[in-house]
Amino acid sequence: MPDEIVQWLRPENGGVIFDGTFGAGGHSIAIARRMAVGGAVLAVDRDPAAVQIGTDMLAGDPELRDLPIDLYCGSYHHLDRVLAAAGRPAVDGVVLDLGLSSDQLADRQRGFSFTGDGYLDLRFDPSAGQTAAEFLAVAGEQEIADTIYRFGEERFSRRIAKQVVLRRKQRQPVREVADLVEICRRCVPRSKNHDIHPATRTFQALRIAVNQELTILTQALERLPGWINPGGRIAVISFHSLEDRIVKQAFRDDDRLEVLTRKPLRPGEAEIHGNARSRSAKLRVAEVRATETTASR
Ligand SMILES: C[S@@+](CC[C@H](N)C(=O)[O-])C[C@H]1O[C@@H](n2cnc3c(N)ncnc32)[C@H](O)[C@@H]1O
């Protein structure tokens, strides 16, 4: 939803906009192209591969080379580190476009796509934390079931967890994408319209768990308003109900913020037509109240 993001964040007014989820750079580039002289985009991505591709793209493309985008590797809940590195005290707008990028989904070796055939990794940052395969190798049956239920809202989580643990006992632990897809196919009945793959919810749950996505989002929403100048805005695009609930409640319960979108905004038909994954996107925007000081930083 790059057009909507540009409209809400108003880069033509100048200042500094933080893109906390650079991905393939669509939002950063759209914002930077409309940025007033002297303004800048600070961008991060947690995935070192995305940052490398983005850095090469920004330096190598003559149309992008002069755009005011500074790209760093890191997590969006550490905006303070980015501000320190960039020598800036605060920003005037923030965009978070949650979830995974098309590049990550297309990379069959990282485990994000259940049509892939590689190792079940699922980490955004391959240098940190436990992989999904490692989690499934050591966690108890109850913990696996709870994780898949809580983060995937998968009704058949217990069956899946049981099969995962059974394979461990048979000395054939779940290591590859195909191992887990096969278990999900056996445990999850086909959805009525055949529109949801039996592994969708389980992969979502494990990705959220190994990347601690909801904890990071919650922490970020507590911290970010303290680093945004009064009148600045924060726009968050979420892709499933767990994320959207966190954003909605955080915006509503934060006295520093005024909610600008009473209901979440959805992408238009044209965008959904061009990118089927955008059909579940929800955009919420809030503004830091003008009376708010930055004392909470
Ligand atoms: C949906 S994509 C962003 C797409 C981007 N807006 C574009 O226009 O190309 C989400 C990106 O967020 C990154 N990401 C996920 N969690 C993150 C975090 N905590 N901090 C920074 N980046 C994160 C992922 O690695 C992925 O590249």
Side-chain angles (χ1 to χ4, degrees):
M1 304 170 90
D3 291 340
E4 287 85 346
I5 294 299
V6 168
Q7 278 165 23
W8 285 104
L9 296 187
R10 305 168 300 184
E12 65 279 5
N13 291 350
V16 179
I17 305 283
F18 175 57
D19 178 356
T21 51
F22 182 81
H27 286 145
S28 284
I29 292 168
I31 294 166
R33 281 203 165 120
R34 291 172 184 79
M35 184 59 92
V37 175
V41 176
L42 300 181
V44 294
D45 202 289
R46 202 176 167 191
D47 180 351
V51 174
Q52 188 58 56
I53 293 169
T55 304
D56 292 347
M57 173 183 74
L58 294 173
D61 186 332
E63 285 194 19
L64 305 179
R65 203 173 287 155
D66 295 327
L67 291 178
I69 303 176
D70 287 339
L71 175 58
Y72 301 85
C73 193
S75 177
Y76 60 72
H77 71 310
H78 291 309
L79 172 56
D80 53 334
R81 295 181 188 170
V82 180
L83 289 173
R88 305 263 188 183
V91 297
D92 301 284
V94 170
V95 54
L96 302 179
D97 181 9
L98 304 173
L100 76 167
S101 70
S102 311
D103 285 347
Q104 288 162 338
L105 198 59
D107 186 339
R108 296 165 65 88
Q109 298 306 313
R110 295 182 64 181
F112 289 115
S113 166
F114 38 74
T115 59
D117 43 15
Y119 175 66
L120 189 63
D121 189 321
L122 286 178
R123 291 171 302 170
F124 288 129
D125 176 0
S127 69
Q130 204 175 33
T131 68
E134 285 166 353
F135 170 72
L136 294 178
V138 297
E141 186 174 324
Q142 184 70 41
E143 188 184 357
I144 295 172
D146 289 350
T147 300
I148 295 174
Y149 185 72
R150 188 162 158 229
F151 298 141
E153 298 178 315
E154 172 57 74
R155 285 193 299 133
F156 300 96
S157 58
R158 294 200 186 293
R159 284 193 204 171
I160 297 167
K162 195 172 182 165
Q163 292 300 316
V164 168
V165 172
L166 189 66
R167 279 193 58 140
R168 274 184 355 209
K169 287 183 185 145
Q170 295 166 341
R171 305 221 175 278
Q172 290 180 320
V174 170
R175 271 189 56 82
E176 308 270 316
V177 167
D179 300 334
L180 186 59
V181 169
E182 196 251 330
I183 289 178
C184 293
R185 276 193 204 285
R186 278 195 281 121
C187 296
V188 180
R190 281 206 155 254
S191 65
K192 263 192 198 144
N193 309 325
H194 294 217
D195 53 350
I196 298 184
H197 189 286
T200 301
R201 296 179 202 279
T202 301
F203 273 68
Q204 173 188 302
L206 293 174
R207 197 199 77 217
I208 290 175
V210 298
N211 293 297
Q212 299 183 324
E213 289 178 44
L214 301 186
T215 307
I216 286 179
L217 177 61
T218 306
Q219 281 184 8
L221 293 173
E222 280 164 21
R223 296 172 181 180
L224 287 169
W227 293 313
I228 302 174
N229 287 319
R233 292 176 174 177
I234 173 165
V236 185
I237 302 173
S238 63
F239 286 87
H240 54 77
S241 55
L242 298 168
E243 285 171 347
D244 184 55
R245 207 173 303 144
I246 290 173
V247 178
K248 181 181 169 184
Q249 286 174 1
F251 280 4
R252 191 194 56 200
D253 298 344
D254 193 328
D255 291 341
R256 298 169 295 179
L257 296 176
E258 183 181 343
V259 177
L260 301 183
T261 47
R262 209 170 52 79
K263 292 214 159 118
L265 306 175
R266 314 297 295 255
E269 286 299 319
E271 182 161 1
I272 295 175
H273 190 68
N275 173 10
R277 285 178 57 228
S278 70
R279 70 178 181 274
S280 46
K282 288 184 181 169
L283 167 64
R284 293 186 186 270
V285 187
E287 185 169 295
V288 174
R289 291 183 196 279
T291 51
E292 183 58 38
T293 69
T294 49
S296 53
R297 261 184 233 154

